[in-house]
Amino acid sequence: MPLYIETPLIESRSISRKVGQSIWLKMESAQPSGSFKTRGIGYACEEYLKRGAKRFIASSGGNAGLAVAFAGRRLSVPVIVIVPETASKRAVNLMCLENAEVIVHGKSLDEAHRFALSLMQPTDAYIHPFDDPLIWRGHASLIDEIFRAGLKPDAIVLSVGGGGLLCGVIEGLKRNGGSDVPVIAVETEGADSYGKSLNAGFLIELANISSIATTLGARIVCEQALAYSKNHRIESVVLPDKLAVSASLQFLQDHGIVVEPACGVALAAVYEKVGALSGYKTVLVIVCGGVGSTADDLVELARLECDVAKC
Ligand SMILES: *Cc1c(COP(=O)(O)O)cnc(C)c1O
C-alpha cells in the first residue's frame, strides 16, 4: 500500500469565475504530511527499505523532513531529521509527532545538510528533498491520477524549489502521453534559482535566499530540472512574496484551506492572470500544500509585507 493518498481533483468555480478560465486544482495539501512530498519521499523510502536501509536520515526545515518522518513511522524505520536553527517550532513539533528524532544544527540548510551526511552509517539511507530519480518517479503518480480522471489540461502551474516536483510532473506527463502539455514553473523573487538558470541556460547558484517562502529556498535546482527544459515546454514566472502571501489568503477565502506561500505563489500566477497563462482554456494548478504556515502566520506575513510596501 503506497504511503500517499489519491488526492481530490476539483474544478474551482470561484477561481475560474474570477479569472475567466477553467481552473482545476490537484489538492496535494490533503496528503497525510500536508504536501505532495509524501509521494516521492514515501516511494524513495519504500525503495531504500527494500534495498536494506535500517534508518532514514534527512536534512530539512519543513515539509521534506516531515514526509520522511511520516514514511519512517509508517514503515517502522527510525528517522533522524537535522533541521537548521531557522526551522519553525511548528515544523519541528510535527516531525516529533511522527516519532522522528529531530536534531537542531547549523544556521542554514547547507550546514544541516553537511551535518546529516556526517552522521551516515553504511546501513542508513539519506533521503534528499528533491534530487533523486526515485523521488521524481514517486511524484509522477499525481499526474497518473489526473489522466486517469480523464483530465488533460492545456497547461500545468506548479511551484519550484529544488525542482523535484517539476521533474516528477514532467515524468508523469511523459508516461501518460502528455508531453505536449506546457508547464508554468513559479517561484518567488529571491528564491528564483530556476528562473535564473532557465534564462542563463546553465545552473545558477543563488548566493542567498531572500524570500519568505523558505520552502522554495533551494540555492541551486537539480540538473534534471534544467535538462527537461531543453525538450519540454517550461515557462518561468517569478512573483514577489507579497503576491504569494495574498494568494494563500485568497485561497483560504475561496476554498477554506491553509497553504504556505510556497504554494500560494503558484496560485498567485492564476489569481494575477500572468501573461504566461493567457490563451489556455483549462489550467491545472498543483496545490502543493505545506504545513509551515498557520492562518495567523499568513495574516501576520501580509501585514509585514504591507509595512514594507508602506501601504
Ligand atoms: C517542497 C515543496 C515545494 C518545492 O518543491 P521542489 O520539489 O523542491 O521543487 C513547494 N511547495 C511545497 C509546499 C513544498 O513542500
Side-chain angles (χ1 to χ4, degrees):
M1 186 180 145
L3 299 177
Y4 64 87
I5 63 163
E6 172 154 1
T7 52
L9 174 65
I10 56 176
E11 185 178 19
S12 171
R13 287 294 294 155
S14 48
I15 307 177
S16 298
R17 231 168 103 168
K18 276 179 203 168
V19 303
Q21 287 163 302
S22 171
I23 305 297
W24 286 78
L25 308 170
K26 184 62 172 162
M27 301 296 282
E28 290 302 297
S29 50
Q31 289 295 348
S33 74
S35 79
F36 69 94
K37 289 234 172 45
T38 288
R39 291 183 187 268
I41 287 180
Y43 181 77
C45 286
E46 284 187 292
E47 272 305 306
Y48 290 121
L49 176 60
K50 276 186 211 156
R51 297 177 193 177
K54 298 270 186 289
R55 190 168 70 160
F56 300 142
I57 297 196
S59 50
S60 156
N63 300 312
L66 185 59
V68 178
F70 169 76
R73 181 176 61 76
R74 287 281 306 271
L75 298 170
S76 304
V77 174
V79 171
I80 298 183
V81 185
I82 314 300
V83 303
E85 287 159 17
T86 50
S88 73
K89 243 199 166 128
R90 180 180 153 74
V92 171
N93 284 342
L94 288 168
M95 291 180 218
C96 291
L97 201 59
E98 295 289 357
N99 303 339
E101 181 183 344
V102 179
I103 300 174
V104 181
H105 185 98
K107 296 209 181 333
S108 66
L109 201 51
D110 292 329
E111 281 178 50
H113 176 73
R114 276 194 296 276
F115 184 65
L117 293 182
S118 77
L119 296 179
M120 293 285 294
Q121 300 292 319
T123 52
D124 288 338
Y126 179 76
I127 312 296
H128 197 279
F130 56 81
D131 195 1
D132 183 339
L134 291 176
I135 289 180
W136 310 331
R137 195 180 303 160
H139 288 340
S141 58
L142 81 85
I143 297 296
D144 298 338
E145 289 169 16
I146 287 158
F147 278 71
R148 217 183 298 134
L151 178 68
K152 187 178 178 191
D154 298 324
I156 296 182
V157 183
L158 49 76
S159 307
V160 173
L165 175 61
L166 175 85
C167 289
V169 162
I170 292 177
E171 183 167 336
L173 287 171
K174 278 187 191 302
R175 76 188 186 199
N176 285 283
S179 285
D180 56 331
V181 179
V183 173
I184 316 298
V186 194
E187 295 167 294
T188 48
E189 286 170 6
D192 52 339
S193 44
Y194 190 53
K196 288 209 157 71
S197 300
L198 280 185
N199 281 339
F202 53 87
L203 286 183
I204 299 272
E205 181 167 1
L206 301 179
N208 66 301
I209 299 297
S210 57
S211 167
I212 53 121
T214 51
T215 297
L216 302 183
R219 290 194 297 113
I220 188 163
V221 300
C222 59
E223 243 178 86
Q224 184 63 55
L226 184 64
Y228 272 140
S229 72
K230 318 269 191 229
N231 56 33
H232 196 105
R233 191 155 156 223
I234 303 174
E235 226 173 309
S236 163
V237 169
V238 179
L239 296 172
D241 281 348
K242 189 181 154 87
L243 291 180
V245 173
S246 72
S248 286
L249 283 168
Q250 277 187 74
F251 191 66
L252 177 57
Q253 292 291 325
D254 285 335
H255 286 276
I257 291 165
V258 176
V259 296
E260 283 182 24
C263 172
V265 77
L267 293 161
V270 176
Y271 281 123
E272 298 298 321
K273 299 168 131 256
V274 298
L277 279 174
S278 70
Y280 297 122
K281 270 214 218 115
T282 305
V283 174
L284 172 77
V285 187
I286 313 289
V287 182
C288 50
V291 299
S293 312
T294 62
D296 286 347
D297 293 338
L298 293 175
V299 171
E300 177 65 10
L301 283 169
R303 201 180 58 76
L304 291 175
E305 289 295 326
C306 218
D307 286 350
V308 170
K310 301 239 177 345
C311 59

